[in-house]
Amino acid sequence: MSTPTKKPGSATGKRSRLYWGVPAALVALVLVVLLAKWMTGQPGVQSFLAEYPGHSELPEGAPVGFPAWLAWQHFLNAFFLLLIIRTGWQVRTTTRPSGHWTRNNKGLIKTKNPPTKITLELWFHLTLDALWILNGLVFAVLLFATGQWMRIVPTSWDAIPNALSAALQYASLNWPTDNGWVNYNALQLLTYFATVFIAAPLAFISGIRTSPAWPKKAAALNKAYPMELARAIHFPVMIYFVAFIVVHVFLVLATGALRNLNHMYGANDGGGWLGFWIFLASVVVMVAAWFLARPIFLRPIASLMGKVSR
């Protein structure tokens, strides 16, 4: 009796990659820290760090602190993005959909052709996308209306060497001075800029291309922007957002959790517990939404906007 051959994608193969991958990643991190410590001990690098301490000066008149609306926007962005990542992964990996949804061709949105029938998972993903984009538009308007844009948009070329300086300081575990209430360091500045003004638009334009809303008969447009290109962009952008969230949460908690949480949720620069309790409540809401995002709860909501079928 022959022994069955294990497929490359089997559970055993995945466990083996995880078994070796985790120690390899830890060794790589240790090597990065050692290399950074050696580099920051060199006279030339020390001179570079002295000239570029890790942050750029803000333009005159830049606001100080975080208004309450920014705290709400932060929570809503995190809430929608978490569920978007969850549903995006479901859309990518689900082989047997839990149901299907067809839009009612009535009301404000009417089309000549019959609406496309999509899976319930894709409907929820697209609904979250629309809410996230709407929230992002409100965020952008308030960002520029209040001057808060100056805190996350680089206005000087020295942001690049300062970002490199901050990266070296992080890697050497001699972390740059943190005073986010007044001014982000340059690495944070460039990361937030890339997230808001590059990654988010890329997620939108690649997502809309792969959605049923994209015109199928626009031959020239589809040739100029093929589906394969959109898919090649959309998944890596999702990976970027996952990595951003992991690193962002880690640094928030590791560089003065109470003060950082007060900045982000309590709209104050104190060291009290207000921001922590608001943050904890937001986590409870997000965890509840994660577990409630199931077909039994989604079907009644989806049926308000279209026909739900098996």
Side-chain angles (χ1 to χ4, degrees):
M1 188 173 178
S2 60
T3 303
T5 304
K6 290 184 175 66
K7 295 181 180 180
S10 66
T12 303
K14 291 179 181 178
R15 284 196 296 270
S16 177
R17 287 194 293 271
L18 182 63
Y19 179 81
W20 290 107
V22 172
L26 292 175
V27 170
L29 286 174
V30 171
L31 291 176
V32 168
V33 171
L34 293 176
L35 177 61
K37 283 186 173 294
W38 174 81
M39 291 180 63
T40 53
Q42 303 305 304
V45 176
Q46 290 179 345
S47 298
F48 172 78
L49 295 176
E51 184 176 358
Y52 299 103
H55 65 273
S56 297
E57 295 299 323
L58 291 175
E60 187 177 351
V64 174
F66 302 93
W69 67 261
L70 197 55
W72 276 103
Q73 282 289 315
H74 186 273
F75 162 70
L76 289 172
N77 270 306
F79 178 81
F80 290 133
L81 194 55
L82 178 70
L83 292 178
I84 284 170
I85 291 171
R86 180 185 189 273
T87 56
W89 184 253
Q90 286 180 319
V91 169
R92 187 178 178 88
T93 59
T94 298
T95 54
R96 294 184 63 184
S98 58
H100 293 83
W101 178 84
T102 308
R103 176 177 58 83
N104 289 329
N105 202 17
K106 301 176 182 178
L108 295 176
I109 302 176
K110 295 180 182 179
T111 56
K112 293 181 180 180
N113 298 322
T116 304
K117 185 178 182 180
I118 61 176
T119 66
L120 194 61
E121 288 79 9
L122 180 56
W123 165 82
F124 190 37
H125 184 68
L126 294 175
T127 301
L128 290 166
D129 285 342
L131 292 173
W132 183 57
I133 292 165
L134 178 61
N135 187 66
L137 291 174
V138 173
F139 173 73
V141 170
L142 291 173
L143 198 69
F144 286 98
T146 61
Q148 286 286 334
W149 67 270
M150 288 183 275
R151 292 168 54 86
I152 64 169
V153 175
T155 57
S156 172
W157 285 105
D158 73 354
I160 296 175
N162 272 304
L164 178 58
S165 171
L168 280 171
Q169 293 174 62
Y170 278 122
S172 65
L173 303 183
N174 183 24
W175 292 356
T177 302
D178 180 39
N179 191 14
W181 185 256
V182 177
N183 188 8
Y184 293 125
N185 69 55
L187 187 59
Q188 291 174 310
L189 168 74
L190 294 182
T191 302
Y192 294 148
F193 173 79
T195 302
V196 174
F197 296 105
I198 299 176
L202 281 177
F204 170 68
I205 62 175
S206 58
I208 195 68
R209 176 63 181 90
T210 60
S211 77
W214 187 266
K216 294 179 175 58
K217 296 182 179 180
L221 185 60
N222 291 336
K223 184 177 180 181
Y225 186 21
M227 177 74 78
E228 293 75 16
L229 176 59
R231 287 174 176 165
I233 294 171
H234 202 64
F235 185 69
V237 170
M238 186 195 78
I239 297 300
Y240 168 82
F241 275 114
V242 172
F244 171 80
I245 291 170
V246 171
V247 175
H248 179 62
V249 172
F250 170 75
L251 290 177
V252 165
L253 299 179
T255 59
L258 288 181
R259 190 182 180 199
N260 288 332
L261 291 175
N262 274 321
H263 292 176
M264 297 161 60
Y265 291 93
N268 71 77
D269 191 31
W273 288 83
L274 175 63
F276 171 80
W277 293 118
I278 298 175
F279 165 71
L280 186 61
S282 75
V283 170
V284 170
V285 170
M286 287 189 282
V287 170
W290 181 282
F291 285 102
L292 290 174
R294 300 174 183 276
I296 190 172
F297 299 107
L298 294 179
R299 288 192 186 100
I301 302 173
S303 64
L304 297 175
M305 295 176 278
K307 179 183 177 182
V308 177
S309 57
R310 292 289 182 178

